[in-house]
Amino acid sequence: MPIIRVALDVPVATLFDYFASDATAQDVGARVQVPFGRKLMTGVIMEVSASSSVSLDKLKSATHIFHDVPPLPTALLDLLKFCSNYYHHPLGEVVMNALPGRLRSIKPLVQKSTTTLQFRFTDAGRTADTSSIPARNIVQNRLLARLRDSGAISREEAKQFSPHAPKALQKFVTLGWVKEVPVYPASFTKTVSGPTLNIEQENAITAIAAEIGEFNAWLLHGITGSGKTEVYLQLITLLLLQGRQTLVLVPEINLTPQLEAVFRARFPTTLLVCLHSKLNASERVNGWLQAQQGEAKIILGTRLAVFAPLPRLGLIIVDEEQDGSFKQQDGLRYSARDVAIFRAKQANVPVILGSATPSLESYYNAINGRYRMLRLTSRAVKNAVLPTIHCVDTRIAKNSDGLSKPLVMALKKCLARNQQSLIFLNRRGYAPVLLCKSCSWTATCHRCTSRLVVHLREKQLRCHHCGHQEHFPSACPMCGDQDIAPFGHGTQRVEATLTECFPNARILRIDRDSTRLKDGWQRMLKDIYERRVDILVGTQILAKGHDFPNLSLVGILNSDASLFSTDFRAAERLFAQLMQVAGRAGRSDIAGEVLIQTEFPNHPLYHALRRHDYDTLAQMLLTERKMAGFPPFVYQALLRAEAPQISDALDFLANAAAMTESSREVEVFDPVPAQMARLKGLERAHLLVQSSSRKRLREFLAAWHIKLVTLPVRKVRWTLDVDPQEF
Ligand code: ADP
Ligand code: ZN
Ligand code: ZN
């Protein structure tokens, strides 16, 4: 009897063998229901074989192989195997988590047809003797005549034909005269033409188009507003003509209805599906199936879309490739950008990484020739120029409750011109600290190593890491003094200050608190576009992807903290973020101005920013990284451990370190507490390993992982994070 090897969503790095009398080689990739312990589970058949390494009398039989949707294609299974291997994560979990929820269920999928269905004559119907239908049955007779004439009728048409038609058609189906079959949209592609390309866009498109049939990683380095999207759209047009699919990955926050609308407007007859975590279960499975069947030609999605089955894949685009949301921070800790590159190589198709501020990893790959660099150096819209950027030295300039005089003056001018302005600070709430002035006590979260943020309107203290909330104390719990006060500035406080300074201005705060309501953000965007807002105050939600044509002033507060962070990536991230925020100003024909409030106006990062000079800063950061031995000059992996007691976590890591074989090529560091040493009540520590050779590191990790799973854990939860982004 055939034996199937099944991937199941359980945290063990093995496949499970079952008997399956009806399994054939065609069932590889199909879902299967199997008994597991005392319950039934759904898994995916990874192999069909004649033998098992488990003794046969121990094997159970699979209960059911699903044929409701086509099996996963081999290429996708290979991609998932690669991820399981590379990230050292159990294959079963990798495979099952790549499926939409509906397909993980133990029930077969009941499809509310995503494609339109049509009733068509069968051969039997065309030659059937219909004289048995009485003449007075007008509906049935007219339906038959209609089917004879046009060959088919859709359910909708039938309903309009007569309210009794669906029932009559059902009868014909039972008689075997008629069959319901899907209609595929006509294969012609209508493309609305875009703007006339500028020479740099033209060059980029020509270069990629010339090698569209093979793998290349292209780094499209284009300043904000340089028309990268237009380059994508033109290349997608090319792919559509070949009937091939394009996967477009965008950061979490960028997948806005605006972007979707741009794509839909350009390709009105093309089936485009969006795949992201906010979809409901049936939307997700429908989009996924349309991708799998090759019907959806454009797949626009966030990181999880990188695992969509795409039989006709022709191009992958990763927009804002530097964005942190491409890396998943729990479970399978994958980088969708890196998986996209592997996938493109596997499918032998090009991948385009687009950014105004590429990650140093990608930039380094481009300058050393592993990726190919294309540049867009000017803004695409006629007359739009990059904004001028100035620093306001807050050691000199008077600062009244967070806003310096020059910034207030600039806001005033902007209001007088009826233009919009934006105040950016990456800190929601009223103030980041609640401080006792007599004993210096500050409110901290008892579950995390973090301060509680003051939310004045709600009279609450909140932890932004674990969600813990508590009431505002009336006195200091340490010394009893009542002189406790918010310290520092968050968006709510800046909003309050602005309201005081500009009582007649329409001020809108945009952060995770204010956009929480369903459609809140969409409504706010509409207000901005329709000019019902004068001053925007907000966090990074505002930084990306949006084109606010009437915005001419950007003020940046509180960015200094990241200049001296212990995280070696902080400067890179700050620069990318500030470039993006600054890029919101002056997108159309009004000039933009950016004011940065800082105590360190001479910091090289601000120098580079003022000159819009990514390259100089990137070179400088690369030199620093090289000297310090940080990525991209080394490859890293982090063994993370958490436990109720820090000693347990550290002991585990010490034991793990003791099992490594020291080598010159792979460095193993000492276990240390994580930067956020306590989170949600658990103590966290980690152990870093690194190597200048990715291959050596992979070999090391593979051998080490086998030993790690044998270690006793005692209340410790551990994971291996390959290419970690956070420490
Ligand atoms: P990026 O993604 O590089 O920040 P976008 O693709 O959003 O830039 O383009 C910015 C604006 O420029 C958009 O409004 C877009 O329609 C416009 N645009 C792009 N290419 C051209 C062009 N060749 N001529 C005129 N406008 C263009
Ligand atoms: Zn006190
Ligand atoms: Zn907390």
Side-chain angles (χ1 to χ4, degrees):
M1 199 189 284
I3 288 162
I4 53 174
R5 294 225 156 86
V6 181
L8 289 173
D9 191 3
V10 288
V12 251
T14 174
L15 297 176
F16 296 86
D17 290 6
Y18 290 90
F19 288 122
S21 56
D22 53 342
T24 68
Q26 269 75 50
D27 291 320
V28 170
R31 278 146 49 252
V32 62
Q33 193 191 66
V34 294
F36 190 82
R38 264 188 268 154
K39 52 182 186 176
L40 291 173
M41 281 183 97
T42 288
V44 169
I45 302 177
M46 302 300 287
E47 282 169 50
V48 177
S49 150
S51 62
S52 170
S53 53
V54 183
S55 95
L56 293 185
D57 51 320
K58 289 221 178 96
L59 286 193
K60 295 184 194 166
S61 290
T63 31
H64 181 68
I65 298 178
F66 293 102
H67 295 290
D68 50 355
V69 304
L72 299 178
T74 325
L76 183 65
L77 295 179
D78 288 344
L79 181 72
L80 297 169
K81 282 181 206 160
F82 164 80
C83 285
S84 162
N85 233 311
Y86 185 81
Y87 293 109
H88 298 281
H89 199 78
L91 181 57
E93 288 191 348
V94 175
V95 172
M96 293 313 288
N97 284 304
L99 295 182
R102 282 274 162 89
L103 297 181
R104 278 180 246 155
S105 136
I106 57 164
K107 300 197 189 99
L109 181 72
V110 183
Q111 282 189 68
K112 286 207 220 80
S113 68
T114 58
T115 45
T116 348
L117 294 176
Q118 258 185 356
F119 292 95
R120 273 178 183 282
F121 257 145
T122 58
D123 287 340
R126 216 169 283 115
T127 54
D129 176 12
T130 56
S131 60
S132 61
I133 296 171
R136 66 186 146 78
N137 202 331
I138 299 168
V139 172
Q140 293 192 10
N141 280 308
R142 280 180 42 199
L143 269 176
L144 287 171
R146 165 72 188 266
L147 283 165
R148 261 183 224 114
D149 284 351
S150 62
I153 185 167
S154 74
R155 200 174 273 278
E156 273 60 48
E157 285 171 288
K159 265 188 217 147
Q160 282 166 14
F161 195 83
S162 152
H164 303 295
K167 209 172 151 212
L169 283 164
Q170 215 48 58
K171 184 184 159 196
F172 295 159
V173 172
T174 326
L175 288 169
W177 292 355
V178 161
K179 210 164 72 181
E180 217 174 355
V181 292
V183 217
Y184 291 104
S187 60
F188 78 96
T189 303
K190 184 173 163 208
T191 306
V192 176
S193 59
T196 313
L197 298 172
N198 63 40
I199 186 78
E200 286 179 326
Q201 286 173 318
E202 192 93 58
N203 288 343
I205 293 165
T206 313
I208 300 170
E211 296 175 58
I212 201 77
E214 62 191 88
F215 171 74
N216 267 304
W218 301 92
L219 180 63
L220 181 60
H221 181 193
I223 62 165
T224 53
S226 60
K228 294 185 285 295
T229 315
E230 193 53 43
V231 172
Y232 307 152
L233 293 170
Q234 298 275 347
L235 288 164
I236 293 171
T237 309
L238 195 70
L239 270 291
L240 289 174
L241 291 173
Q242 303 177 359
R244 303 188 72 179
Q245 297 174 296
T246 303
L247 172 64
V248 185
L249 298 176
V250 295
E252 239 26 287
I253 218 161
N254 270 30
L255 187 52
T256 57
Q258 280 77 11
L259 181 71
E260 192 185 330
V262 167
F263 275 74
R264 291 204 191 276
R266 185 61 68 87
F267 308 111
T269 60
T270 302
L271 185 57
L272 176 153
V273 299
C274 284
L275 289 178
H276 54 86
S277 53
K278 302 270 164 15
L279 296 178
N280 68 35
S282 69
E283 287 170 328
R284 211 174 136 200
V285 76
N286 288 346
W288 193 90
L289 285 172
Q290 287 172 322
Q292 159 151 29
Q293 279 144 20
E295 286 167 46
K297 290 296 185 298
I298 302 173
I299 294 83
L300 190 58
T302 54
R303 63 171 181 261
L304 58 86
V306 78
F307 296 118
L310 301 162
R312 307 271 302 142
L313 180 62
L315 170 68
I316 305 181
I317 294 164
V318 186
D319 193 31
E320 304 286 0
E321 63 89 25
Q322 84 293 344
D323 195 277
S325 75
F326 286 122
K327 168 96 177 171
Q328 173 142 315
Q329 296 294 4
D330 53 15
L332 174 67
R333 292 172 173 259
Y334 68 102
S335 152
R337 177 196 64 205
D338 297 348
V339 175
I341 293 167
F342 177 81
R343 187 166 189 179
K345 198 182 275 175
Q346 178 201 43
N348 200 27
V349 301
V351 53
I352 305 173
L353 309 178
S355 180
T357 48
S359 65
L360 286 185
E361 281 84 356
S362 299
Y363 184 72
Y364 182 61
N365 277 328
I367 53 181
N368 70 23
R370 290 185 51 202
Y371 296 173
R372 297 171 61 182
M373 177 114 75
L374 297 165
R375 286 180 188 263
L376 306 179
T377 56
S378 58
R379 287 202 152 175
V381 172
K382 220 172 160 194
N383 298 327
V385 288
L386 284 172
T388 53
I389 302 180
H390 301 286
C391 286
V392 176
D393 189 338
T394 47
R395 291 168 306 181
I396 304 165
K398 272 249 173 304
N399 195 327
S400 73
D401 212 8
L403 298 179
S404 65
K405 206 162 205 168
L407 182 55
V408 173
M409 294 302 292
L411 283 166
K412 210 173 258 169
K413 270 197 231 151
C414 201
L415 278 169
R417 289 193 307 255
N418 273 322
Q419 290 171 349
Q420 290 170 322
S421 42
L422 183 167
I423 304 295
F424 172 84
L425 78 165
N426 226 347
R427 199 185 264 161
R428 66 201 165 83
Y430 184 83
V433 184
L434 182 67
L435 176 75
C436 168
K437 289 190 182 155
S438 20
C439 77
S440 309
W441 167 86
T442 58
T444 54
C445 179
H446 64 285
R447 305 177 67 207
C448 309
T449 323
S450 71
R451 291 212 172 88
L452 292 173
V453 177
V454 181
H455 284 248
L456 204 60
R457 197 165 307 172
E458 301 83 358
K459 298 218 163 32
Q460 269 181 341
L461 296 173
R462 291 186 186 164
C463 174
H464 286 186
H465 299 279
C466 72
H468 167 77
Q469 305 187 350
E470 58 187 67
H471 284 300
F472 218 98
S474 52
C476 171
M478 281 290 272
C479 71
D481 202 302
Q482 294 191 349
D483 197 10
I484 49 175
F487 184 78
H489 297 86
T491 46
Q492 289 184 0
R493 187 169 198 168
V494 172
E495 181 190 16
T497 309
L498 285 167
T499 313
E500 224 166 88
C501 288
F502 305 102
N504 297 322
R506 295 163 298 178
I507 298 165
L508 180 66
R509 175 169 56 89
I510 297 187
D511 55 28
R512 223 175 337 130
D513 299 313
S514 72
T515 56
R516 194 157 310 196
L517 287 177
K518 192 167 171 357
D519 299 331
W521 181 207
Q522 291 319 316
R523 262 204 314 277
M524 290 177 174
L525 273 176
K526 197 154 181 275
D527 284 344
I528 303 170
Y529 282 111
E530 293 170 6
R531 298 199 183 188
R532 286 188 290 274
V533 179
D534 300 311
I535 306 177
L536 295 157
V537 188
T539 56
Q540 60 187 358
I541 296 188
L542 280 172
K544 304 173 191 173
H546 304 288
D547 237 338
F548 303 129
N550 196 39
L551 186 86
S552 65
L553 172 70
V554 172
I556 294 170
L557 314 184
N558 276 326
S559 53
D560 285 347
S562 303
L563 293 177
F564 305 103
S565 162
T566 51
D567 180 349
F568 69 86
R569 286 197 175 88
E572 176 187 351
R573 288 190 186 135
L574 177 65
F575 188 76
Q577 193 170 61
L578 295 188
M579 282 283 260
Q580 267 177 340
V581 188
R584 296 312 104 201
R587 301 273 289 189
S588 61
D589 52 5
I590 53 176
E593 186 186 13
V594 179
L595 293 179
I596 304 172
Q597 292 194 173
T598 171
E599 290 183 22
F600 309 94
N602 289 321
H603 193 284
L605 189 143
Y606 293 136
H607 265 294
L609 200 66
R610 282 198 291 266
R611 279 176 289 139
H612 303 277
D613 185 358
Y614 168 87
D615 287 90
T616 304
L617 186 79
Q619 297 285 0
M620 190 190 92
L621 294 176
L622 280 176
T623 310
E624 283 175 15
R625 298 254 188 113
K626 187 169 188 175
M627 276 169 31
F630 284 136
F633 299 93
V634 297
Y635 301 94
Q636 299 182 323
L638 205 60
L639 179 62
R640 301 176 181 272
E642 53 181 33
Q645 301 293 328
I646 187 72
S647 54
D648 287 335
L650 289 170
D651 284 350
F652 169 83
L653 294 173
N655 291 339
M659 293 194 310
T660 61
E661 268 145 49
S662 58
S663 82
R664 267 182 300 128
E665 284 162 320
V666 179
E667 250 182 303
V668 180
F669 289 78
D670 288 331
V672 287
Q675 240 170 54
M676 177 147 238
R678 186 157 22 97
L679 183 66
K680 300 179 188 174
L682 288 175
E683 304 289 338
R684 299 151 22 108
H686 59 231
L687 173 68
L688 176 68
V689 292
Q690 67 179 35
S691 170
S692 58
S693 153
R694 195 193 283 278
K695 186 160 168 281
R696 289 280 169 280
L697 182 65
R698 284 191 68 176
E699 289 163 357
F700 171 90
L701 293 178
W704 193 33
H705 193 260
I706 293 170
K707 296 186 199 161
L708 282 177
V709 293
T710 65
L711 264 185
V713 283
R714 280 205 30 244
K715 296 179 201 153
V716 178
R717 271 190 27 204
W718 62 271
T719 54
L720 200 52
D721 187 352
V722 181
D723 306 323
Q725 290 290 311
E726 248 128 63
F727 287 81

